[in-house]
Amino acid sequence: MKVFIEPIGKLINQFTKLPGVGSKTAQRFAYEVMNMTQAEVEEFADALVRVKKDVHYCAVCGNFTDGDVCEVCKTRDKSIICVVKEPKDVIAFEKLHEYRGVYHVLHGTISPMDNVGPNDIRVKELLARIKEGGVEEVIMATNPDVEGEATAMYIASLLKTLGVKVTRLAHGIPVGTDIEYADEMTLSRALADRKPL
Amino acid sequence: MKVFIEPIGKLINQFTKLPGVGSKTAQRFAYEVMNMTQAEVEEFADALVRVKKDVHYCAVCGNFTDGDVCEVCKTRDKSIICVVKEPKDVIAFEKLHEYRGVYHVLHGTISPMDNVGPNDIRVKELLARIKEGGVEEVIMATNPDVEGEATAMYIASLLKTLGVKVTRLAHGIPVGTDIEYADEMTLSRALADRKPL
């Protein structure tokens, strides 16, 4: 005999599709749902469906939006573009409440190993935005891994021919970390990029 | 400006209702949902709604079922009833694939502090089942906390007048644990309930 009846088993199975959720956690989630009211569960289900129906990519920057063009593209300083890999990187910057420019979401990084070339990510859309004029600086904010670095270098080389200033996020010791625990690559970059006090 | 657009914010909010899910995890879940296909998300939403619509309590034991009477009550040995607090406790026993009797889910334990008395949990339904006859043993499998113990004692006192054998799960050192790390209460119970070799 099965341990779970079919509807509960199905829901547990759905929860295990979420990142970091194993069968034990999924089971706890499913039993929590059983304790919700019918209205609460319907609201939950509705939020799931609506997020897929109402949210799509911004026609300008490629970030998630529920309109045609996202709020950031509509209201912010278009002279600075911060180039990121994914929409969730935008959230990381937005949480700072410091950055006043706009974004460009690549939706991936160049990775020959995975058969992802420059034409598979939103590079030409970025070039088109810059050719329209008014852009003074492009901040390359891809991850500091092999693919992220390669993508930043590639895009920087294209942008320089267009005469736009290209910068890269600083690498160094994370704030609050002991130097003792910093990895060699990070420490080496921190040393090379040292600043006068 | 809000960091999240409304549909994503709403979904994040729904995910935080699940046990142990904070805003950071909920955010990861929401972005995973964005990466699913429309069909996958609809299947997920459907599983949520169906679990609430199709699942209710078994008329006999009070466990979750999608029929009138659950599979356990239909097919198993009715002479032994294992009394548990919640439906998830049934799952713990079912995973053993050892227990061949039926269950009785109390849906709570007696707790005067929380204003939960014997009439607020499914005690009279248990007495009714026993009065119907054919029950030889009732295993009290409520949690070994104050409320669980009190509930087990209370029900045992009622059942003894009906002439049915009442047992309680053994307490002792968990298998695989060092005695060094066992708490005093557990060690004390293990010592008191020691068995001849």
Side-chain angles (χ1 to χ4, degrees), chain B residues 16-69:
Chain B
T16 56
K17 290 180 183 170
L18 297 172
V21 176
S23 61
K24 198 95 186 178
T25 308
Q27 190 181 318
R28 282 178 60 218
F29 287 177
Y31 276 83
E32 185 68 26
V33 171
M34 298 296 306
N35 286 333
M36 293 179 183
T37 65
Q38 180 79 30
E40 282 172 330
V41 172
E42 271 164 18
E43 198 187 342
F44 197 157
D46 187 55
L48 272 171
V49 174
R50 289 195 76 85
V51 92
K52 221 27 219 186
K53 266 196 189 135
D54 296 351
V55 180
H56 42 259
Y57 297 145
C58 167
V60 179
C61 72
N63 190 17
F64 290 133
T65 178
D66 49 357
D68 276 345
V69 173

Side-chain angles (χ1 to χ4, degrees), chain A residues 63 84-91 105-108 143, chain B residues 31 35:
Chain A
N63 190 18
V84 296
K85 183 187 175 192
E86 295 172 302
K88 50 182 131 178
D89 299 325
V90 172
I91 299 299
V105 183
L106 293 173
H107 290 285
N143 290 324
Chain B
Y31 276 83
N35 286 333

Side-chain angles (χ1 to χ4, degrees), chain A residues 165-186:
Chain A
K165 182 179 159 194
V166 185
T167 57
R168 179 101 175 98
L169 287 188
H171 291 299
I173 316 287
V175 179
T177 314
D178 272 18
I179 288 173
E180 187 183 349
Y181 301 121
D183 64 289
E184 284 171 37
M185 281 290 285
T186 301

Side-chain angles (χ1 to χ4, degrees), chain B residues 100-121:
Chain B
R100 293 286 123 221
V102 291
Y103 297 93
H104 189 85
V105 183
L106 293 173
H107 289 285
T109 38
I110 299 168
S111 173
M113 297 277 281
D114 304 313
N115 252 323
V116 180
N119 293 327
D120 300 316
I121 62 175

Side-chain angles (χ1 to χ4, degrees), chain B residues 170-173 186-197:
Chain B
H171 292 298
I173 316 287
T186 302
L187 196 55
S188 157
R189 292 288 287 263
L191 187 65
D193 295 349
R194 66 191 181 275
K195 295 169 105 181
L197 280 180

Side-chain angles (χ1 to χ4, degrees), chain B residues 62-182:
Chain B
N63 190 17
F64 290 133
T65 178
D66 49 357
D68 276 345
V69 173
C70 74
E71 279 304 303
V72 173
C73 286
K74 268 185 201 160
T75 58
R76 298 247 290 259
D77 180 1
K78 290 187 183 58
S79 67
I80 310 180
I81 300 179
C82 179
V83 178
V84 296
K85 182 187 176 192
E86 295 171 303
K88 51 182 130 178
D89 299 325
V90 172
I91 299 299
F93 279 100
E94 285 302 288
K95 280 186 173 167
L96 297 178
H97 297 290
E98 256 177 41
Y99 179 65
R100 293 286 123 221
V102 291
Y103 297 93
H104 189 85
V105 183
L106 293 173
H107 289 285
T109 38
I110 299 168
S111 173
M113 297 277 281
D114 304 313
N115 252 323
V116 180
N119 293 327
D120 300 316
I121 62 175
R122 296 180 71 253
V123 175
K124 57 180 183 300
E125 288 87 343
L126 176 63
L127 296 179
R129 283 176 78 177
I130 286 152
K131 279 171 188 162
E132 275 177 17
V135 179
E136 282 160 26
E137 182 181 353
V138 173
I139 305 170
M140 293 306 310
T142 49
N143 291 324
D145 51 20
V146 179
E147 293 82 11
E149 291 288 355
T151 308
M153 289 305 177
Y154 173 78
I155 293 176
S157 69
L158 292 178
L159 296 186
K160 271 170 192 162
T161 62
L162 297 174
V164 67
K165 181 179 160 195
V166 185
T167 56
R168 179 98 175 101
L169 287 189
H171 292 298
I173 316 287
V175 179
T177 313
D178 273 18
I179 290 174
E180 187 184 347
Y181 301 120

